[in-house]
Amino acid sequence: MLPNESRFSSVEELKKYFREKVKHLHPDRGGSKEEFLQFISWYEEVSKKLRSSRQVEVVKRCPLTGDYVFSVLEFTVEEIALGGKKKIKIPYEEGICKACGGTGKNKNGRAEICGFCKGSGFVEVFDSRNEKNTYLKCPYCKGLGYLLLEQCQYCLGKGKIKEEKEVVIDIPVGLKEGDILFLPKESVGAISDLYYEVAIKPHPYFVLKGSDLIYKCKIPFWEIMLNEEISILTLEGEEKVPSYLFTRDSPVVLKERGPFLKDGRRGDLLIEFQIIVPHSIPEKAKFFIKKAVEILKQERGGEV
Ligand SMILES: [Zn+2]
Ligand SMILES: [Zn+2]
């Protein structure tokens, strides 16, 4: 009996099962040919489904042979931490370059008179049937009378250009800088297999560290003293947390509010804060701060 396909959550898992099973089923090892063929077609079907829903695989490295396209794909910290969908542009098919109409030459670039027809665009040939001269389009400049000297800058002289199309991919969770993503061509309808090296765009406040996310912020001392709550940024947006948390050591840890991890858990959000104290304080302000300290000392029996 073949297992239920929902048992497999990745192509790798399915492949592992395949390798195990095929050892016993192969006709060379005494298995029945019919059962073997049935197994192969079942495998292909499940594999196709897995690839179409999860088109992206994370692989160790790029193969060094074969036909594929390799480039770098940039992700935001939020995309890495939360997963979800991402629109990307992939090379699609080769079409005629619209800029040069397929000639590979820059229409507005430098040109020179065609030496073959001396710029007339025609050449005189002797027609032996009529025994007289006749004119034909110059085969060298194709009747233009001049030759374009500069390459088309869009297709670099090839006359063809690789067109791109937009596809939406599922972002695998737990990605790290430098990971390689593999998109089989049939999963996204590309012209060849695609490999992308993961790059993470620097974020003004967030930094990924292991399975956690760090949020860096600076808070003026009076905000902590005067407000019940402080606004911070989380992966889910702006949020208010109690101010007293910032009267302790940095970082403040928000459990399971960090990146989603491969094993289904969530990492932590670490709020690394720095308390801002102004360099120079005007005399008038100092006066009130001194007063405030006095009141605090009175209230707490000499200690602040
Ligand atoms: Zn061109
Ligand atoms: Zn010519």
Side-chain angles (χ1 to χ4, degrees):
M1 273 306 286
L2 294 166
N4 193 305
E5 60 192 53
S6 61
R7 192 183 127 174
F8 307 97
S9 60
S10 74
V11 175
E12 283 313 312
E13 257 178 63
L14 178 70
K15 275 187 192 162
K16 207 177 142 198
Y17 178 78
F18 178 84
R19 284 194 296 267
E20 275 304 306
K21 190 85 177 163
V22 83
K23 278 185 210 160
H24 312 289
L25 276 178
H26 203 279
D28 291 351
R29 297 179 190 220
S32 114
K33 199 178 169 188
E34 208 176 63
E35 248 183 85
F36 177 71
L37 290 177
Q38 218 178 6
F39 176 66
I40 296 290
S41 72
W42 168 86
Y43 168 74
E44 275 172 3
E45 185 115 353
V46 179
S47 159
K48 217 162 108 186
K49 278 186 194 162
L50 278 174
R51 284 186 202 280
S52 63
S53 58
R54 297 162 189 264
Q55 342 89 309
V56 186
E57 277 183 66
V58 183
V59 293
K60 292 268 176 292
R61 60 183 76 81
C62 210
L64 294 169
T65 55
D67 186 25
Y68 64 86
V69 174
F70 178 81
S71 56
V72 173
L73 193 57
E74 223 179 30
F75 290 86
T76 63
V77 170
E78 288 94 333
E79 284 173 329
I80 298 283
L82 298 172
K85 309 259 178 208
K86 184 179 177 70
K87 261 189 202 165
I88 63 166
K89 279 186 176 160
I90 59 163
Y92 186 36
E93 59 184 8
E94 280 202 329
I96 286 181
C97 171
K98 290 189 186 89
C100 64
T103 61
K105 301 285 181 196
N106 180 357
K107 276 187 247 177
N108 305 313
R110 283 180 298 118
E112 67 175 15
I113 301 281
C114 172
F116 199 70
C117 61
K118 308 276 185 294
S120 68
F122 293 96
V123 283
E124 202 177 348
V125 286
F126 182 71
D127 186 341
S128 54
R129 281 175 300 176
N130 299 329
E131 296 210 334
K132 61 179 182 186
N133 284 349
T134 179
Y135 293 91
L136 289 177
K137 208 192 238 185
C138 169
Y140 204 64
C141 63
K142 306 208 164 47
L144 287 172
Y146 58 89
L147 299 167
L148 292 167
L149 300 174
E150 286 176 22
Q151 230 179 33
C152 168
Q153 54 191 324
Y154 294 96
C155 62
L156 302 174
K158 282 180 283 195
K160 283 181 177 177
I161 210 145
K162 272 194 182 131
E163 286 172 13
E164 291 185 321
K165 78 165 178 179
E166 215 170 55
V167 293
V168 177
I169 58 161
D170 294 321
I171 306 168
V173 288
L175 284 184
K176 300 217 160 29
E177 176 101 32
D179 274 351
I180 308 281
L181 299 181
F182 169 50
L183 280 77
K185 60 180 172 187
E186 62 274 14
S187 73
V188 285
I191 42 164
S192 53
D193 287 342
L194 307 172
Y195 286 87
Y196 290 104
E197 189 179 324
V198 173
I200 305 174
K201 232 188 258 181
H203 192 282
Y205 313 113
F206 289 144
V207 182
L208 289 156
K209 194 179 177 191
S211 58
D212 298 326
L213 180 73
I214 295 172
Y215 167 62
K216 292 188 185 217
C217 61
K218 292 182 177 176
I219 310 168
F221 76 89
W222 58 87
E223 289 219 8
I224 300 168
M225 286 169 71
L226 302 175
N227 301 321
E228 289 288 304
E229 291 174 319
I230 299 282
S231 276
I232 57 144
L233 270 186
T234 72
L235 286 167
E236 280 76 23
E238 205 181 299
E239 225 167 281
K240 286 186 167 29
V241 290
S243 305
Y244 73 80
L245 292 173
F246 300 94
T247 59
R248 301 167 185 177
D249 284 345
S250 178
V252 169
V253 180
L254 298 191
K255 284 269 170 208
E256 291 175 21
R257 294 298 306 277
F260 285 95
L261 308 173
K262 274 182 203 154
D263 58 10
R265 289 181 312 119
R266 241 186 125 166
D268 298 335
L269 176 65
L270 311 181
I271 310 170
E272 277 185 6
F273 63 94
Q274 193 193 328
I275 294 172
I276 302 174
V277 179
H279 285 299
S280 59
I281 299 167
E283 283 306 319
K284 208 173 163 187
K286 269 187 194 168
F287 173 80
F288 287 110
I289 293 168
K290 270 183 205 160
K291 281 275 168 223
V293 174
E294 270 169 32
I295 297 167
L296 281 171
K297 278 184 177 172
Q298 274 168 21
E299 294 249 321
R300 301 188 185 184
E303 268 183 55
V304 178

